[in-house]
Amino acid sequence: MALYFFGNIEFGDFVKGDDYYPVALIQDVQDTREFATEEEADDYMVENSYGGYVDADSKNIEIYFAKK
């Protein structure tokens, strides 16, 4: 099981020289849920009309929270 954040999330790359690092900037967390697969999380996002989601335990993306 993995924890997913759902809400207003922007995705992009942080660039340093010739290196690219995938990032997710979370503007607003509207829900958190645990799912066994990414497909389940994707279905949940669509069913509830969330703007995006990200796996909180992912090693492939840096997660940042916007300061309000």
Side-chain angles (χ1 to χ4, degrees):
M1 297 293 277
L3 178 66
Y4 289 86
F5 295 123
F6 295 88
N8 184 9
I9 305 171
E10 297 177 50
F11 296 92
D13 291 315
F14 174 78
V15 180
K16 184 175 180 185
D18 292 334
D19 296 325
Y20 289 79
Y21 303 92
V23 297
L25 177 61
I26 300 176
Q27 300 285 344
D28 178 34
V29 175
Q30 298 168 335
D31 197 359
T32 58
R33 299 282 175 169
E34 287 188 347
F35 292 104
T37 68
E38 188 171 338
E39 290 76 20
E40 290 175 326
D42 193 60
D43 290 343
Y44 183 78
M45 178 196 69
V46 171
E47 289 169 7
N48 292 281
S49 301
Y50 292 125
Y53 69 92
V54 65
D55 177 351
D57 301 323
S58 177
K59 305 292 185 225
N60 299 325
I61 192 167
E62 293 289 325
I63 300 172
Y64 297 97
F65 293 87
K67 184 177 179 181
K68 297 246 176 179

